[in-house]
Amino acid sequence: MPTYTAPTRDTRFVVNEVLDLPSYGNLPGFESASADIIDTVIDECGKFAAQVLQPINQSGDEEGCTRHPDGSVTTPKGFKEAFERYRDAGWGTISLPEEFGGQGMPHVLGFVVEEFVSSANQAFGMYPGLTNGAVNAIFASANEELKAKYLPNMIANKWLGTMNLTEPQCGTDLGLIRTKAEPQADGSYLVTGTKIFISAGEHDLTENIIHLVLAKTPGAPDSSKGISLFIVPKVLVNEDGSLGERNAVQCGSIEHKMGIHANATCVMNYDGAKGWMVGEENKGLAAMFVMMNAARLGVGIQGLSQAEVAYQNAVAYAKDRRQGRALTGPEDPEAKADPILVHPDVRRMLMDGKAFTEGMRALYLWGALLEDLTHKSQSEEERAEADMLLGLMTPVIKGYGTDKGYDVATNMQQVFGGHGYIDEWGMGQFVRDARITMIYEGTNGVQAMDLCGRKLASKGGAAIQKFFALCDEEVAAVKQVEGLAPLAEAFDKALGQQKAATMWFMQNAMANPNNLGAGAHHYMHIMGIVTLGLMWLRMAKVAAAKLAGGTDDKAFYEAKLTTARYFMDRFAPDAGALRRKIEAGSDSMMALDADAFDTAA
């Protein structure tokens, strides 16, 4: 049976020591995030995830969800009771607006909750997971009447929310949607159409589900410029806030999927369902992007979460499983074989996992801090800078974070050898659950094109130049720390590769846009390496200072420095190979005729 223990020590290190969250106490929402409160949230959520959610992860995967003839859906055994405990503890309210019942704490702590919940039980975490994004979209774009009607119960997790974009004929190209919204005399709309791949579209965890639905009004432009956003509740809400009659929306079926079996991924049929427009007509995509960007950060966390839980189980197995002898001679002469942890190839996989998970944790938490600073910094300039950097980081956290998260989960399965392929060990579930993270909320190819086609060029390249400046400052600072200059120099080489790749795009993408498309994935991975490298420089600097000043946790900080060195030795050099792939251009990639791909001719 797989196990999970929340990485509370490492999380406290990043939140308290690397980000120094308590130092932002002068900003709104941060004043309640004292060191004691931070530690309490981290520790108590870690216990909840490990003790309540992890024990029903494997059984939930095996049982899955059940759709009944009336269109209702029941979740696996234990999920409803676990959700009641999640709701009653207020875990879903951590970083949501106080004016509608949230705790108003920093997104940093809300993201910690997301990681722990997702590592323990990704399918469970998806039920409340999209609600935060739905709340943000409604809060940002809806009128005051809709906010008052829906937000308090959504924030309290009495009701949950969904995101309805995809249709059978369209996914990324939302201009092709066919769902219609007919205006009514009372200001409402009747929404008709079919949406697919709707996570948590129907379930028995809450008495109501608030669907955010993209649809087109009569006469709207037949493109993405003609999309509006609507609140369509599963159960209509009366003027006094009580629940009324069932709306004309139903789960037509549950998708049969590779993973996340315990989450109801639904086909949703809207048959003249009553809805209300959020924001302006034909501006729905912009309103929905508030939710989509939040969801993309959440999916990046999911990529890390499956890597983390797979890594923990692989480490335990590698310490216990005995096969062969160490190449340098027996490590345990009294036994017939050594633990497989002595073998360099097993070490390679485990060190890759450790370097990625700890670096990625620091990256997503920095992203969460940028989210907070975007809204709460004291000056407009600081808010704009944070927003710019967050926009640049979002496709990297989602795209690189899930590509590498899946790789780590697969390698951790490999550590188990044949046992990793046997269901009872649980490693297959981590791999299957991690796989979806590379696909939904915009495939990772879409993330790469968002990064290279939009974010690099945004505001004349201001965001990437700011990022490069931050990296240069960190290199200069770390070079001054005794013993850390080699780390800074290795990182600087990788940074140089990214700068050169950026320049190559500037010189070659305009003349042939396929050059950008052909290199976008590789560029996203270069930037992933550099962003994680930046995190490792920051962590190494803190660890070195702790060791120099004397600490009772010497082993922890020494391990940080060793892992930082491993990252620079083993991850950073890949930036050069990726740059050369980018500079190969698109000619050979785009040369074949479509028929030349057929192998059966």
Side-chain angles (χ1 to χ4, degrees):
M1 285 286 291
T3 62
Y4 171 69
T5 301
T8 54
R9 175 65 184 92
D10 194 57
T11 303
R12 288 197 303 273
F13 166 71
V14 176
V15 173
N16 290 329
E17 300 177 52
V18 179
L19 298 180
D20 193 13
L21 199 66
S23 69
Y24 294 90
N26 61 316
L27 300 181
F30 285 81
E31 67 276 1
S32 58
S34 65
D36 288 345
I37 294 296
I38 291 168
D39 289 348
T40 298
V41 169
I42 291 171
D43 290 342
E44 291 304 314
C45 184
K47 292 176 185 177
F48 175 83
Q51 296 171 9
V52 178
L53 300 183
Q54 190 277 333
I56 59 173
N57 186 41
Q58 192 170 29
S59 60
D61 179 68
E62 293 168 353
E63 180 183 343
C65 295
T66 302
R67 180 189 177 276
H68 303 285
D70 64 355
S72 63
V73 170
T74 51
T75 51
K77 182 180 179 181
F79 270 54
K80 190 169 184 178
E81 294 77 11
F83 181 76
E84 289 173 356
R85 294 180 66 177
Y86 174 93
R87 181 189 62 218
D88 293 346
W91 292 122
T93 71
I94 291 286
S95 57
L96 294 180
E98 287 183 281
E99 62 191 280
F100 293 104
Q103 297 184 51
M105 297 179 74
H107 282 85
V108 173
L109 293 179
F111 278 27
V112 168
V113 172
E114 286 194 41
E115 183 201 333
F116 292 177
V117 168
S118 185
S119 285
N121 195 322
Q122 180 174 324
F124 176 94
M126 292 171 64
Y127 287 103
L130 284 174
T131 302
N132 286 2
V135 165
N136 290 336
I138 294 170
F139 187 78
S141 302
N143 61 39
E144 294 305 315
E145 180 182 356
L146 291 178
K147 290 179 185 179
K149 193 170 189 177
Y150 293 100
L151 287 183
N153 283 323
M154 293 178 72
I155 288 174
N157 282 176
K158 187 177 180 181
W159 303 340
L160 293 180
T162 72
M163 178 167 58
N164 287 237
L165 289 77
T166 308
E167 298 182 8
Q169 78 288 347
C170 74
T172 302
D173 189 356
L174 292 170
L176 300 176
I177 67 171
R178 297 172 184 161
T179 299
K180 298 296 183 184
E182 297 285 343
Q184 304 300 298
D186 63 357
S188 66
Y189 290 77
L190 296 183
V191 177
T192 301
T194 296
K195 298 289 185 177
I196 64 172
F197 305 159
I198 308 307
S199 300
E202 176 61 44
H203 53 77
D204 60 347
L205 303 183
T206 55
E207 61 187 5
N208 205 0
I209 303 171
I210 310 305
H211 303 291
L212 290 191
V213 184
L214 292 182
K216 291 182 177 178
T217 55
D222 190 20
S223 68
S224 61
K225 295 181 179 180
I227 297 174
S228 299
L229 179 63
F230 299 87
I231 286 176
V232 185
K234 169 185 171 179
V235 181
L236 296 173
V237 181
N238 297 322
E239 291 302 317
D240 63 0
S242 63
L243 294 181
E245 62 184 24
R246 176 68 188 259
N247 208 354
V249 53
Q250 188 177 72
C251 169
S253 64
I254 297 176
E255 304 285 2
H256 298 276
K257 315 184 294 292
M258 176 180 175
I260 51 171
H261 294 150
N263 191 270
T265 306
C266 300
V267 174
M268 300 300 297
N269 296 319
Y270 294 84
D271 187 16
K274 202 162 189 177
W276 288 264
M277 186 179 291
V278 176
E280 299 178 40
E281 187 172 8
N282 299 333
K283 303 292 185 182
L285 199 54
M288 183 64 95
F289 257 107
V290 174
M291 185 174 185
M292 290 174 67
N293 284 330
R296 286 171 175 175
L297 292 170
V299 172
I301 295 172
Q302 289 178 349
L304 163 64
S305 73
Q306 297 312 293
E308 171 66 34
V309 67
Y311 168 77
Q312 289 187 15
N313 283 273
V315 168
Y317 185 83
K319 289 180 176 180
D320 182 68
R321 177 71 167 175
R322 292 178 178 270
Q323 293 283 293
R325 290 296 192 185
L327 297 178
T328 54
E331 291 273 334
D332 186 359
E334 301 302 316
K336 291 184 177 180
D338 290 329
I340 63 172
L341 188 63
V342 304
H343 300 306
D345 194 59
V346 173
R347 286 277 183 143
R348 171 186 62 83
M349 291 185 284
L350 293 178
M351 285 301 296
D352 279 358
K354 183 176 178 64
F356 169 75
T357 54
E358 293 180 14
M360 187 65 194
R361 180 169 299 110
L363 178 57
Y364 90 70
L365 288 171
W366 181 48
L369 179 59
L370 291 173
E371 173 73 22
D372 287 314
L373 297 179
T374 293
H375 301 288
K376 297 177 180 179
S377 284
Q378 292 179 328
S379 74
E380 177 59 35
E381 181 181 356
E382 290 173 325
R383 291 193 294 272
E385 181 179 297
D387 185 55
M388 186 170 59
L389 285 170
L390 179 61
L392 189 67
M393 290 298 111
T394 297
V396 179
I397 291 172
K398 196 284 184 185
Y400 180 78
T402 59
D403 276 353
K404 293 301 291 184
Y406 176 75
D407 286 348
V408 169
T410 301
N411 280 334
M412 297 307 99
Q413 182 186 42
Q414 184 76 12
V415 169
F416 280 72
H419 290 288
Y421 206 66
I422 303 301
D423 285 346
E424 68 178 280
W425 291 91
M427 301 305 289
Q429 182 185 355
F430 303 143
V431 172
R432 290 184 287 105
D433 287 356
R435 188 64 184 87
I436 186 57
T437 64
M438 303 160 72
I439 297 171
Y440 60 11
E441 304 307 341
T443 64
N444 285 356
V446 171
Q447 303 306 313
M449 284 303 295
D450 176 46
L451 173 64
C452 297
R454 295 179 64 241
K455 302 298 174 58
L456 290 185
S458 177
K459 297 181 181 178
I464 193 65
Q465 292 305 319
K466 178 59 182 177
F467 175 73
F468 288 156
L470 286 177
C471 292
D472 290 338
E473 291 168 9
E474 201 66 49
V475 167
V478 173
K479 281 184 176 180
Q480 303 306 310
V481 180
E482 184 177 356
L484 298 191
L487 298 183
E489 291 164 2
F491 170 80
D492 203 24
K493 289 179 181 178
L495 177 62
Q497 301 291 351
Q498 185 186 356
K499 290 177 178 178
T502 307
M503 183 61 68
W504 191 88
F505 273 156
M506 292 175 62
Q507 295 169 343
N508 294 275
M510 290 293 290
N512 182 359
N514 279 338
N515 284 332
L516 184 77
H521 170 83
H522 306 308
Y523 187 91
M524 181 176 72
H525 274 246
I526 290 180
M527 189 158 183
I529 291 168
V530 171
T531 51
L532 257 66
L534 177 63
M535 298 302 107
W536 275 112
L537 284 189
R538 291 175 174 176
M539 290 190 285
K541 188 170 61 175
V542 172
K546 287 288 184 177
L547 289 168
T551 174
D552 294 332
D553 205 354
K554 185 178 179 182
F556 176 85
Y557 295 108
E558 287 180 339
K560 283 293 176 191
L561 292 180
T562 299
T563 309
R565 187 170 75 246
Y566 180 87
F567 182 90
M568 298 308 173
D569 286 347
R570 296 281 177 162
F571 281 63
D574 289 343
L578 291 166
R579 173 197 167 187
R580 288 189 288 275
K581 288 184 179 184
I582 291 169
E583 293 177 351
S586 61
D587 289 351
S588 61
M589 186 179 291
M590 307 303 293
L592 288 181
D593 291 333
D595 291 343
F597 285 91
D598 297 334
T599 58

